[in-house]
Amino acid sequence: MKQLTLSIIALFILTACKTTHTVNDSHIKLCEKTIHDYIQYRDLGPIEQYQALFTADATFSVPKLNIALNTSEAIANRAKKALMTKKSIHMITSTNIKLLSQNTYSNVSHFVLHLSDKNTPNAKRKIFNGRYVDTLVIQNDQCLIKTRNVLIDRMDTLP
């Protein structure tokens, strides 16, 4: 009887762990998609899809460039203006998404950004290397960016 009870408890624990693991895996996949969609929509639009990657009260900061934005609307408006004058090519080189609490994840992604002026083809181009440090939340079966702190490790200007 004791053996049967221990077996049932062990089975219950394994099932619970597997279920939790599966949910976390699906959330991590959702968050990976958000990180990769970010670069796609930020470089090419549409801005509505870009804005939809953020919570309404999202914050976005780039301390090295004195940028601090406090809503998804403000974040989208800045990107919309940039798309009119700048050509950007983002590349994510790695991501590290980790569970913080039930529906909250942290992420650190390394990126390379190539930025050039659309209206002045001969203008100098900029290359940024850095990290996106994010808090991501699961809402309505979507992974959304709640906070994004952009840390620039290196900026180069090319002729």
Side-chain angles (χ1 to χ4, degrees):
M1 182 69 167
K2 187 176 179 182
Q3 179 84 12
L4 179 62
T5 303
L6 289 175
S7 296
I8 291 171
I9 292 171
L11 180 62
F12 176 74
I13 291 171
L14 288 172
T15 303
C17 289
K18 178 136 178 75
T19 302
T20 303
H21 183 67
T22 303
V23 170
N24 291 344
D25 283 352
S26 67
H27 287 174
I28 287 175
K29 288 190 187 314
L30 283 174
C31 291
E32 286 172 346
K33 181 175 179 352
T34 297
I35 301 306
H36 291 284
D37 285 351
Y38 172 88
I39 62 174
Q40 174 73 24
Y41 298 141
R42 176 55 186 83
D43 288 346
L44 303 171
I47 286 300
E48 297 78 15
Q49 295 287 25
Y50 175 76
Q51 184 174 350
L53 298 173
F54 295 89
T55 62
D57 63 344
T59 61
F60 183 99
S61 66
V62 188
K64 200 166 214 169
L65 301 178
N66 296 317
I67 296 169
L69 306 169
N70 291 315
T71 64
S72 64
E73 185 176 359
I75 295 165
N77 285 338
R78 183 177 182 284
K80 184 177 182 179
K81 288 177 186 172
L83 278 171
M84 288 186 232
T85 60
K86 303 288 184 200
K87 178 182 178 182
S88 63
I89 302 170
H90 286 82
M91 292 172 279
I92 298 289
T93 60
S94 67
T95 61
N96 187 9
I97 300 168
K98 293 183 179 177
L99 179 66
L100 290 177
S101 63
Q102 185 172 351
N103 288 319
T104 306
Y105 292 80
S106 67
N107 174 59
V108 176
S109 297
H110 289 84
F111 71 88
V112 178
L113 167 62
H114 177 272
L115 193 63
S116 60
D117 191 325
K118 283 184 178 178
N119 302 321
T120 313
N122 296 332
K124 293 183 177 190
R125 298 166 288 161
K126 293 185 180 180
I127 305 289
F128 298 88
N129 292 355
R131 293 163 282 144
Y132 296 129
V133 179
D134 304 323
T135 303
L136 308 165
V137 294
I138 304 297
Q139 292 179 356
N140 302 319
D141 293 324
Q142 290 184 295
C143 181
L144 302 174
I145 301 168
K146 174 112 176 118
T147 65
R148 173 157 278 186
N149 191 19
V150 182
L151 303 177
I152 298 172
D153 297 323
R154 182 176 173 151
M155 286 188 322
D156 292 304
T157 303
L158 304 174

